[in-house]
Amino acid sequence: DTSSTFHSGTIYPNVYYYNRWYINKNWFIEANAILATRYRKTNDFKEYYGGLTVPLLVGKGRIEPVQDARQAVYILQDLKSSDLLAREPSEKEILEIASEISSLKNKRFLDHRLRRIYELKALDSLFVNMGLLSENNVVFYTHLTDNWGFTNGPVRWSGERFSAGIRTQILASEAWKDPVDFKDFLDQIYPVANEQILLNYELQRPVSLYWQNQLLLGTSYRIFDQWINLRNIKGHHAFESYKASISILYGWAYYPNSRTSLSLRSTLLMNFGGIPENPEQSAKEFNYDLKPGLYFSGEYYFSPQLTVEVNYNAFYSFARELEQQNGSILKDINKHSQVNQYLTAKFLYSIF
């Protein structure tokens, strides 16, 4: 009998930098940078990976967070249920309250206690000056403090945005096998450069206080230049490949109260690609894959610091690779399908 111990570890230090500049009310330019690295090691395998991605986009439209307007409505609903509203506020007044809420949240304080005192005094003054209160008593203060501390999440979005542009990506990885007995099996370098054309559309629509609708459409086409250097084989192999992608996401979210959110999203991802014939390739290769999925998530908000979240994902994956040599008919070289399911539950605690 023989026994062995298996060890595996992966490190992912990444850096993300996002910028969107609006030329006027609706038109924008977007320039981002993503630096991704990875180190992976098992008993007999090591890999280093590094990549820089730089998307440059132009577009039209805005998607803005609107949860502060939702919080203003929750405060007004509680005041109305306790007969503390002197009159029904107008739509303009609701937006004024929401604007003040946003302004208060954007202020910075080192002392959390002083921050809370300042925020509650400002909101109290706002309601009094607008003449919305029939009575300013401890019940009003109770509703104000409860909603201010517990109804400021989750984030809600509203608007639509279209963008188009290019994304440049440079990747490099090195992998090898240990021990020396495996040296001829895998010891190689993969530098890759690709240019990608992007078209994206996103719609976020708050249907009501309780329902949210979203739609995301994306399409891209990229060309890869890849070099493979096998150290145990003289020279290197260089080839060009292409890949076209279409992605669709459609979903609904339900917010039954100020602390609970439930969402259900359906997705579809389609990829089509291949390697055209060139002097260093004896055959053409074609491939495509299809991946429909379903995602459910639920979230309960205990406090500004503590949230519990449950997620369930299920998707079907089908992939097929075909090869054509010297103008012959296409033949399958690889085909597979599988169903994947994931269930996660987690507590999130924010220090600040």
Side-chain angles (χ1 to χ4, degrees):
D1 294 336
T2 60
S3 62
S4 62
T5 303
F6 180 79
H7 300 281
S8 175
T10 305
I11 301 174
Y12 293 93
N14 299 325
V15 178
Y16 302 89
Y17 183 67
Y18 295 103
N19 284 287
R20 184 179 296 119
W21 297 278
Y22 276 87
I23 304 170
N24 54 36
K25 185 177 180 180
N26 285 312
W27 288 92
F28 65 85
I29 297 174
E30 185 173 332
N32 307 318
I34 304 168
L35 177 63
T37 60
R38 180 177 70 236
Y39 171 72
R40 184 160 60 103
K41 184 181 185 302
T42 65
N43 284 26
D44 59 357
F45 178 83
K46 291 181 182 180
E47 180 191 35
Y48 294 102
Y49 165 90
L52 176 64
T53 303
V54 181
L56 297 173
L57 304 167
V58 295
K60 182 181 181 181
R62 285 177 177 266
I63 296 178
E64 302 284 359
V66 293
Q67 68 273 9
D68 293 340
R70 179 173 177 261
Q71 189 175 22
V73 172
Y74 276 126
I75 295 173
L76 292 169
Q77 283 183 339
D78 282 352
L79 296 180
K80 183 177 181 180
S81 66
S82 298
D83 295 324
L84 291 175
L85 279 182
R87 56 180 175 80
E88 287 289 336
S90 65
E91 183 176 330
K92 182 179 178 180
E93 288 174 323
I94 295 175
L95 292 176
E96 185 179 343
I97 297 171
S99 178
E100 178 67 12
I101 289 174
S102 299
S103 177
L104 290 171
K105 289 180 179 180
N106 287 329
K107 292 184 181 298
R108 296 293 176 259
F109 289 81
L110 292 177
D111 191 317
H112 179 76
R113 172 176 162 271
L114 295 178
R115 176 192 184 99
R116 181 54 56 91
I117 292 172
Y118 177 86
E119 291 169 341
L120 293 177
K121 287 178 65 176
L123 289 172
D124 177 76
S125 298
L126 178 65
F127 278 91
V128 171
N129 293 335
M130 294 176 70
L132 289 174
L133 297 177
S134 61
E135 188 176 355
N136 192 348
N137 56 24
V138 69
V139 180
F140 164 71
Y141 181 77
T142 301
H143 286 314
L144 189 60
T145 53
D146 178 61
N147 280 281
W148 192 246
F150 293 95
T151 66
N152 58 352
V155 177
R156 299 281 295 271
W157 301 94
S158 179
E160 60 181 337
R161 185 168 60 223
F162 171 80
S163 61
I166 60 172
R167 178 165 58 191
T168 301
Q169 190 174 48
I170 300 174
L171 311 173
S173 66
E174 183 176 13
W176 66 91
K177 282 274 190 177
D178 288 330
V180 179
D181 296 346
F182 293 96
K183 183 175 179 58
D184 291 338
F185 179 72
L186 182 63
D187 188 9
Q188 50 198 311
I189 300 174
Y190 294 102
V192 179
N194 70 76
E195 294 288 341
Q196 186 174 11
I197 301 172
L198 304 171
L199 290 173
N200 299 307
Y201 174 76
E202 182 178 357
L203 170 68
Q204 296 283 352
R205 188 165 61 101
V207 180
S208 69
L209 183 65
Y210 305 104
W211 290 95
Q212 179 87 18
N213 181 222
Q214 68 173 153
L215 172 67
L216 283 80
L217 302 174
T219 182
S220 66
Y221 180 81
R222 70 172 71 180
I223 298 175
F224 299 83
D225 287 312
Q226 183 166 340
W227 300 265
I228 298 180
N229 180 23
L230 301 173
R231 288 202 180 96
N232 57 321
I233 300 177
K234 292 183 179 180
H236 67 274
H237 299 268
F239 61 89
E240 183 180 276
S241 61
Y242 63 90
K243 182 178 181 180
S245 301
I246 298 173
S247 61
I248 303 171
L249 182 149
Y250 183 75
W252 284 87
Y254 177 54
Y255 305 88
N257 53 52
S258 60
R259 299 188 183 187
T260 309
S261 66
L262 304 169
S263 67
L264 183 65
R265 296 172 292 166
S266 59
T267 62
L268 178 62
L269 177 63
M270 297 176 285
N271 295 309
F272 310 89
I275 302 175
E277 195 168 6
N278 59 63
E280 297 192 28
Q281 291 289 324
S282 60
K284 296 180 180 179
E285 290 185 13
F286 305 91
N287 60 77
Y288 64 88
D289 61 81
L290 181 69
K291 187 183 292 185
L294 195 65
Y295 299 82
F296 168 81
S297 65
E299 183 177 302
Y300 185 78
Y301 175 84
F302 286 102
S303 72
Q305 284 75 39
L306 184 61
T307 304
V308 62
E309 184 179 312
V310 177
N311 297 284
Y312 172 75
N313 305 334
F315 61 88
Y316 169 76
S317 177
F318 174 81
R320 186 180 183 186
E321 295 181 52
L322 303 104
E323 184 181 68
Q324 184 183 42
Q325 291 186 341
N326 301 321
S328 63
I329 62 172
L330 291 169
K331 65 175 183 179
D332 281 313
I333 57 175
N334 188 19
K335 182 168 63 174
H336 70 271
S337 62
Q338 63 183 27
V339 176
N340 295 281
Q341 299 182 79
Y342 302 95
L343 177 64
T344 61
K346 58 187 177 182
F347 286 93
L348 303 176
Y349 186 82
S350 302
I351 299 176
F352 299 105

